[in-house]
Amino acid sequence: MSLEERKLIEATKSRLKKREEFESRGISCYNNNFKPSVSLGDIADQYKNVAPEDIPDIEFTIAGRIMFKRSFGKALFYKLSDKKGMLQVYCKKDNLDEQQFFVAKRADVGDILGIKGTLFITHTGELTLNANSITLLTKSLRPLPEKWHGLKDKELRYRKRYLDLIMNAESTAVFRKRAKIIKAIREFLDNNDFVEVETPVLQPVAGGATANPFITHHNALDIDLYLRIAPELYLKRIIVGGLERIYELSKNFRNEGMDLAHNPEFTMIEFYYAYQDYLGLMNFTEQLIGYAAKAIDAESINFSGNQIDFAKPWKRIGLYDAIVEIGEIDGEVIKNKDAAYEKAVQLGKPVSHSMVHAKLLEEIFDVAVEPKLINPTFITDFPVAVSPLARRSEKNPDFVDRFELYIGGMEIANAFSELSDPVDQRARLEEQAKAKEGEVDYDYIETLECGLPPTAGEGIGIDRLVMILTGSNSIRDVILFPQMRPKK
């Protein structure tokens, strides 16, 4: 047993003993009848610049977790923390009854207290609440990590997010910003006459994207089902049904690898816009993400050492042009499949000769171009072979009307004018299923046969967007409970 483990056991025993002491004196360790009237942060904001003589003589009712405690015999100071900030509290024996001062003296860092009192400013200039009543609300039985030593381990912060949120104000700030970003996206779409909808998480066919699904079994129906890899095909069914502007904030699941930009469970916003095309959707996307960035004052931010500017218009460039111009790859790879294969191998990609030429070029793009796309950039002109659900370009039927948005060296969004021709769609999905030994969603084909209006659709990765807008280097920093390898 390590020294740290022994310390934890001793600290827990000490706290259990204190719990027994409180209960023996008739002091409840878990109260549920205390209602604070104001947050600590609001008090600090309102009175931080007020002169001592102008502090009002009114009683405040507050609650918070003890983050720091300093005792001086018949008096002591706390630093209390709540959802909005911190405030110092002064407890003096003369101002409290015997039971209350017993609570004040015996309470530990990590305990949650309810306190009533008036404000004053100490001789060091710190705004402080002078307690005249103390109630123990929650007795903590485990000590918090030490402020400067206990919770710097990234993996521990992910596994014990509750401790991370208690100890690290910057983590709490990230998740508050995440909520504001999602709220802003919903608000923008609602203001543009979109309707929020819900589609199944359990699906009979893993469609709408190319990814390995999680598989489960429904006992009553005795059928296998897949956790959703994308909501796309169901959303387009709704467009056929007549709801012409829709969106879904969805949880998706892909049984694939994990890294700084991937988690097997992730959040997306997908929206579909009838009588719109992919060009119009680029302008719409600039406005939407700009609106979300403004909601948290992030129109220009630093991400992984790079300054990102969201000022419009954003750069637009074709996939093949980007490989040559940005990736600085010889244009021969565009013309010659063998040259593309050799370059992909040289770049360390796990490719095979059986891959179509367009897929090899995508692999080259991932290494040679994607990391260089720091400021918002739309990549356009994708080949049909890697875009089974997108509408063919009228200018060149070997390509589709599609774009991907990259920011900070990561793909943030994928969008296209939707393929509405059911004959073409059937052929593409059957070819894709044959190549990957997958299934075709024939019910979706039947839906298209009823008539899909001209539509553009887009999916935006919420987790990655939050990473960019908050300057977070890992997707685990913006997901409260990321998937982790089980501890042995």
Side-chain angles (χ1 to χ4, degrees):
M1 184 183 299
S2 69
L3 177 61
E4 290 299 317
E5 289 173 325
R6 287 198 297 270
K7 285 182 177 180
L8 176 60
I9 291 172
E10 290 304 314
T12 302
K13 286 181 179 178
S14 173
R15 289 171 179 247
L16 284 168
K17 184 178 180 180
K18 288 182 180 181
R19 170 182 164 147
E20 293 173 0
E21 291 175 355
F22 287 138
E23 291 176 342
S24 69
R25 297 175 69 112
I27 299 170
S28 173
C29 292
Y30 303 98
N31 272 292
N32 194 37
N33 57 358
F34 190 93
K35 302 293 186 289
S37 62
V38 63
S39 74
L40 306 182
D42 287 344
I43 292 176
D45 289 343
Q46 185 173 355
Y47 297 104
K48 62 184 176 182
N49 295 319
V50 176
E53 61 272 16
D54 295 328
I55 295 289
D57 185 23
I58 57 176
E59 184 177 77
F60 293 89
T61 302
I62 64 171
R65 186 185 297 274
I66 302 173
M67 301 302 295
F68 176 79
K69 177 183 176 182
R70 186 169 73 249
S71 182
F72 301 98
K74 294 185 179 181
L76 56 117
F77 286 93
Y78 294 130
K79 286 289 182 66
L80 251 58
S81 171
D82 72 358
K83 63 182 179 180
K84 286 192 174 181
M86 297 185 75
L87 185 69
Q88 180 166 269
V89 175
Y90 174 64
C91 302
K92 188 177 180 182
K93 185 175 183 180
D94 294 346
N95 296 339
L96 302 167
D97 65 31
E98 182 181 351
Q99 289 281 72
Q100 291 174 350
F101 191 67
F102 182 81
V103 170
K105 292 288 287 184
R106 299 293 284 165
D108 290 304
V109 170
D111 290 357
I112 300 173
L113 301 179
I115 300 177
K116 296 180 181 180
T118 55
L119 291 174
F120 73 101
I121 296 178
T122 66
H123 68 277
T124 59
E126 184 164 2
L127 185 67
T128 303
L129 190 82
N130 186 10
N132 59 43
S133 173
I134 291 183
T135 303
L136 178 61
L137 302 182
T138 300
K139 176 71 195 128
S140 65
L141 300 181
R142 282 179 174 263
L144 297 179
E146 294 179 38
K147 178 63 176 175
W148 302 114
H149 308 294
L151 206 64
K152 297 303 179 184
D153 184 303
K154 276 280 189 179
E155 182 168 326
L156 181 61
R157 291 172 64 177
Y158 300 146
R159 290 187 185 278
K160 299 183 183 295
R161 182 67 82 184
Y162 51 94
L163 292 179
D164 180 36
L165 295 174
I166 291 171
M167 302 301 296
N168 297 313
E170 63 271 20
S171 291
T172 302
V174 164
F175 291 105
R176 288 190 178 277
K177 288 179 180 179
R178 179 187 173 106
K180 288 182 179 180
I181 291 166
I182 292 172
K183 180 181 178 181
I185 290 172
R186 273 195 166 111
E187 187 173 82
F188 181 87
L189 293 170
D190 290 345
N191 291 343
N192 280 276
D193 201 28
F194 281 73
V195 176
E196 183 171 7
V197 298
E198 295 179 339
T199 62
V201 172
L202 294 174
Q203 301 183 354
V205 178
T210 303
N212 293 324
F214 288 93
I215 305 173
T216 188
H217 188 79
H218 191 291
N219 292 333
L221 297 178
D222 193 25
I223 58 171
D224 285 341
L225 293 169
Y226 303 94
L227 291 183
R228 171 173 60 198
I229 60 174
E232 179 170 343
L233 300 187
Y234 282 92
L235 290 172
K236 286 190 278 194
R237 286 174 168 94
I238 298 172
I239 292 287
V240 170
L243 291 178
E244 296 176 349
R245 298 185 188 186
I246 58 172
Y247 71 90
E248 180 173 18
L249 189 72
S250 65
K251 283 288 188 183
N252 299 329
F253 308 84
R254 297 181 183 178
N255 196 358
E256 299 176 343
M258 300 187 296
D259 58 29
L260 293 178
H262 294 86
N263 192 69
E265 176 183 350
F266 61 98
T267 305
M268 285 184 65
I269 185 88
E270 281 213 20
F271 55 93
Y272 289 81
Y273 194 159
Y275 308 107
Q276 183 59 277
D277 62 17
Y278 84 113
L279 295 173
L281 217 54
M282 280 192 264
N283 298 329
F284 190 75
T285 301
E286 288 181 350
Q287 296 169 19
L288 187 156
I289 292 181
Y291 191 84
K294 187 176 181 180
I296 62 166
D297 299 320
E299 290 104 322
S300 179
I301 51 94
N302 187 283
F303 177 73
S304 293
N306 297 300
Q307 198 64 28
I308 297 177
D309 189 352
F310 289 95
K312 299 186 286 289
W314 297 349
K315 183 180 180 67
R316 303 180 184 192
I317 185 172
L319 175 68
Y320 292 175
D321 289 338
I323 290 173
V324 175
E325 296 175 22
I326 300 175
E328 300 178 322
I329 302 294
D330 192 306
E332 184 64 22
V333 302
I334 307 298
K335 306 171 188 175
N336 187 299
K337 179 182 176 182
D338 288 338
Y341 173 78
E342 290 174 7
K343 176 55 70 172
V345 171
Q346 181 185 332
L347 293 172
K349 298 294 288 185
V351 295
S352 69
H353 279 292
S354 63
M355 286 183 173
V356 297
H357 189 191
K359 181 60 180 173
L360 292 171
L361 292 173
E362 270 198 330
E363 297 290 331
I364 292 171
F365 174 91
D366 289 347
V367 177
V369 182
E370 183 173 340
K372 299 178 181 178
L373 302 178
I374 304 304
N375 277 316
T377 303
F378 291 112
I379 300 297
T380 62
D381 302 330
F382 285 80
V384 170
V386 292
S387 311
L389 298 170
R391 185 180 185 276
R392 291 180 188 268
S393 169
E394 293 182 358
K395 296 179 181 178
N396 186 341
D398 291 332
F399 291 83
V400 295
D401 293 339
R402 173 187 173 192
F403 70 80
E404 288 182 347
L405 172 63
Y406 289 82
I407 309 174
M410 293 189 295
E411 179 192 342
I412 299 298
N414 182 30
F416 38 82
S417 298
E418 301 297 334
L419 176 57
S420 56
D421 179 350
V423 175
D424 189 4
Q425 184 67 90
R426 177 191 289 267
R428 289 203 225 171
L429 289 180
E430 287 180 343
E431 183 179 353
Q432 182 188 53
K434 183 178 179 181
K436 295 182 177 295
E437 298 183 353
E439 296 180 74
V440 175
D441 189 341
Y442 286 108
D443 181 75
Y444 173 66
I445 303 298
E446 183 180 319
T447 302
L448 285 188
E449 291 171 348
C450 292
L452 173 71
T455 299
E458 180 170 352
I460 298 175
I462 292 294
D463 306 311
R464 291 186 185 179
L465 181 61
V466 173
M467 283 176 63
I468 298 290
L469 295 181
T470 61
S472 302
N473 292 324
S474 170
I475 197 169
R476 294 181 178 185
D477 292 329
V478 301
I479 296 175
L480 277 167
F481 300 100
Q483 187 63 49
M484 303 291 291
R485 187 182 300 277
K487 294 185 72 174
K488 294 182 180 179

